[in-house]
Amino acid sequence: MENISAEQHPAAGLPPALSIRGLSKRFGAKLAVDGIDLDVPAGSFYGLVGPNGAGKTTSLSMATGLLRPDAGQVWVHGVDVWQQPLVAKRLMGLLPDGVRLFDRLSGEQLVSYAGLLRGMDKDTVASRVKDLLAALDLGKDAGTLVVDYSAGMTKKIALAAALIHAPRLLVLDEPFESVDPVSAANIRDILADYVKSGGTVIVSSHVMDLVQRMCDHVAVIAAGRVLAAGTVDEVRGNQSLEEKFVALVGGRNETAGLSWLRTS
Amino acid sequence: MVAHLVRLKLALLRNSLKRSPWQLVGLIIGGLYGLGILALLLAGLAALGAADPEAIGTVVVLAGAAVVLGWLVVPVVLNGLDMTLDPARFTTYSIPMKSLLAGLLLSSFIGIPGAITLLASVGTAASWWSHPLAGVVALLCGALGAVTCITASRAVTAASASLASSRRFKDVSGIVVLLPLLFLGPIINGISSGVSNFSAYLPQLANSISWTPLGAVWAVPAEIAQGHYGPAGLKFLIALATIAALVWVWKACLARALVTPAFAGGARRGAGKMGFFGWFPATPAGAVAARCLTYWFRDPRYSAGLLMAPLLPLVFVFAGSQFGGGTAIGVALGFGAALAAFLVAWSISADISYDNTAFALHVATGISGLADRTGRAMAAGVLALPLGVLYAVVGAIFSKDMSQLPGTLGLVLAVVGSGLGLASVFSARFTSNVPLPGDSPLKTRPGNGFSAALIQLAGFAGLGVLVLPELILLIVALVSGQVLYSWLALVVGMILGAVFLAIGVRQGAKIYDKRAPELLLSVSVDR
């Protein structure tokens, strides 16, 4: 690890929005997550970056109560996720990646379903669904079945389902994948507003530029370990985040490239 | 290029075997089964050779036509039987159409069904050992017959794929083809008793079929053996024209599929239609019930079951009518009622497997096990109970014996209550490989081995034990004709059904609360 700490200083006051200690998971012979420690300060916009197969999704699944860890502990605003899952899950909104939706429901039904499952009352659900669909520009397709949505619309409706109960911590796994630029900008605005009002957002992404522009904190994960974590400026130093990422993770080819691919 | 495609298919086969030893076991069992069938066929054909040419022709034409028909129908039923070389995946490579067609055609023979069809078709030559010239022609025609089969199935697949880029068509077509299959027994029974002199009818049927695209190719050797060279030539031409037409259809559909993207959405619809969500209380359990009920009608995997359940008792009735009398039909309907109700109730034993990873929403929202179990049981109960009651009442009307109605109703109540309770426990404990969301309801998936069958069997046996009291009371009532036992069955059914439902939902909820992440993991493996 770089000399930047992934752990919040104990004197920092409020408990972190998300606190991870010694989290590990093994799938067969592969150690997917290898003892991760991480603190996400309350009120931060936290980026989680790493190459494919680094263990981002596995870590987030364990942090949100979807996947039982082999070892380690997770707290959300001081609530232990695996000791008091129901309390912890009330605090979190989750947009998982690579997971199906109940796609034979219409968009409106799906978001309402997510609200009702959380025990919200009917009228609140109805008014929030309306707001969310309008904000995400899905109003005209509210009655269309989710199975007939495009990939970007599907992402957006899943995001709406994650937001419906006004969580204090939002965990978004690859939220911008296949979302068009206009919708992505709208989503970024919504998230920025949310952070300004005191919420905490964790996004995982491959797109370094996006993370550098959007997030105030970042953690670099590779091969199931945290390589660096802290504020974006701390982590990247005087390089761009992308350069720093490549330097940390390695794997760039130094050879001359594909000489035969040149057209002239 | 053709060789590349064939090699690609071999490589895909080899890699799929590397993924799991069970695939290899499956291939070996399938191969042995196929070889066994092939050996039997060849022996049968050789034995057939002793008959006169006309008889040989009749058998070969009918069997051959059936095989072609099979290749036409099966891909539609099984929604892309063998899509290892899905043409859509070649869109980005500029493969000349001719090479693509030839490559796909040849590679279709790699694999058990294709290889066996080819060998058996060419093997029809074995039946012509007493007519050498016909034998030689049969070798050629057999190969052409196999090509007909493959091009037919490819053409149908391509045609339905370009028709079926709309999801609704896909949803409906799988179910529609299912229905005739269910009634195959009664239909065959009806036809065979209708045609009084079946064996006299066969040569006539074969003769007509031999002039159609289905049978022409198989009829050529027989005509040659009988010295009818004119008809032989004509039928050979029909066979060639058939192949040419099929290839043309295949090519046209493929050409369209290659430039049409797979996505084709329905019309856009605005907000305001909440469907079943308006029917149930706005609680977590109510929401689950509304969602499940929506799925019973919108997801073909559920609605196929919902369609089958009321039809199965009719098959019972058919059996009952053979024994004669309205009483028999009535009794059969009574038990059929319980069966239909059970089929619907028991489907929720695989509910979480059907959810697949969409189940993550339940885990993420932290819905309590009790609400999850209650909602699912409610949705199935809303369907199973009226269905069972309806059949019980209709059965009582048929048997003109209202005194047995309370007993039958008792059995229905018991089956629904105990079935839902038991299924609630099972679905929290076990997941199985079911068709994925969006797949054809008939698609069976590998990996459902011995253990899954054992689990199902345990469920059936468990239910049998749970409803035993009501069953015994009802049978006693039927045999003795005493109304008291019938009413007793109703009372016991009401009480035990409710008790087992409550216990099952509670037990299931306990297991669910403990194992929800593990359930999600086990369905995630399977996608």
Side-chain angles (χ1 to χ4, degrees), chain A residues 68 86 89 98-105 108-109 112-113 116-118 140-145 147-148, chain B residues 167 171 263 268-272 274 284 287-288 291 295 298 356-358 362-364 366-367 514 518 527:
Chain A
R68 201 182 297 278
L86 296 190
K89 281 170 183 174
V99 158
R100 289 171 195 273
L101 299 173
F102 286 109
D103 57 12
R104 302 276 159 165
L105 299 181
E108 189 184 19
Q109 285 175 328
S112 310
Y113 186 51
L116 293 172
L117 282 188
R118 291 183 179 275
K140 282 199 182 112
D141 288 297
T144 311
L145 298 197
V147 66
D148 291 331
Chain B
R167 174 186 51 78
D171 286 0
F263 175 77
R268 300 175 65 163
R269 252 172 260 129
M274 291 304 288
V288 173
R291 199 272 300 167
Y295 263 59
R298 269 199 207 142
N356 201 263
T357 49
H362 285 222
V363 184
I367 181 183
K514 234 181 271 166
E518 280 70 28
R527 62 181 151 131

Side-chain angles (χ1 to χ4, degrees), chain A residues 184-201:
Chain A
N186 287 342
I187 293 175
R188 274 206 306 278
D189 286 348
I190 294 172
L191 295 181
D193 265 1
Y194 171 77
V195 170
K196 225 179 276 169
S197 69
T200 311
V201 176

Side-chain angles (χ1 to χ4, degrees), chain A:
Chain A
M1 192 181 294
E2 297 270 308
N3 50 5
I4 300 157
S5 174
E7 295 169 29
Q8 188 178 316
H9 198 269
L14 279 174
L18 179 71
S19 184
I20 296 176
R21 288 292 176 278
L23 206 57
S24 300
K25 184 74 191 180
R26 178 184 286 281
F27 290 116
K30 193 189 171 218
L31 194 57
V33 175
D34 184 8
I36 280 183
D37 298 315
L38 194 70
D39 277 326
V40 174
S44 65
F45 203 136
Y46 208 104
L48 208 58
V49 296
N52 297 326
K56 296 187 300 272
T57 298
T58 309
S59 305
L60 290 180
S61 299
M62 289 191 288
T64 51
L66 293 190
L67 179 67
R68 201 182 297 278
D70 291 341
Q73 277 182 294
V74 185
W75 294 268
V76 171
H77 287 288
V79 180
D80 190 315
V81 172
W82 289 97
Q83 295 298 324
Q84 295 175 277
L86 296 190
V87 184
K89 281 170 183 174
R90 224 170 286 148
L91 300 170
M92 279 187 287
L94 174 63
L95 171 68
D97 185 40
V99 158
R100 289 171 195 273
L101 299 173
F102 286 109
D103 57 12
R104 302 276 159 165
L105 299 181
S106 70
E108 189 184 19
Q109 285 175 328
L110 179 66
V111 183
S112 310
Y113 186 51
L116 293 172
L117 282 188
R118 291 183 179 275
M120 298 166 60
D121 73 84
K122 200 176 187 173
D123 297 330
T124 318
V125 169
S127 74
R128 284 190 187 173
V129 167
K130 212 173 144 208
D131 291 347
L132 279 168
L133 291 176
L136 292 167
D137 195 28
L138 288 169
K140 282 199 182 112
D141 288 297
T144 311
L145 298 197
V146 174
V147 66
D148 291 331
Y149 276 11
S150 71
M153 289 159 77
T154 309
K155 265 291 190 233
K156 289 198 281 180
I157 205 74
L159 180 65
L163 289 172
I164 180 102
H165 62 297
R168 288 175 64 192
L169 168 67
L170 255 183
V171 181
L172 312 176
D173 199 354
E174 299 286 355
F176 297 107
E177 217 174 34
S178 59
V179 173
D180 69 84
V182 177
S183 301
N186 287 342
I187 293 175
R188 274 206 306 278
D189 286 348
I190 294 172
L191 295 181
D193 265 1
Y194 171 77
V195 170
K196 225 179 276 169
S197 69
T200 311
V201 176
I202 303 175
V203 292
S204 81
S205 181
H206 297 296
V207 189
M208 299 298 147
D209 270 349
L210 190 82
V211 172
Q212 185 177 341
R213 259 187 303 139
M214 192 172 65
C215 301
D216 45 41
H217 286 65
V218 67
V220 181
I221 294 187
R225 294 165 174 277
V226 179
L227 297 184
T231 66
V232 172
D233 291 336
E234 277 172 359
V235 169
R236 73 187 175 96
N238 49 12
Q239 294 171 294
S240 79
L241 187 60
E242 180 153 355
E243 287 163 347
K244 182 69 185 182
F245 176 82
V246 172
L248 278 171
V249 173
R252 286 279 288 143
N253 286 325
E254 300 299 332
T255 49
L258 306 173
S259 56
W260 49 263
L261 193 56
R262 290 167 197 155
T263 48
S264 60

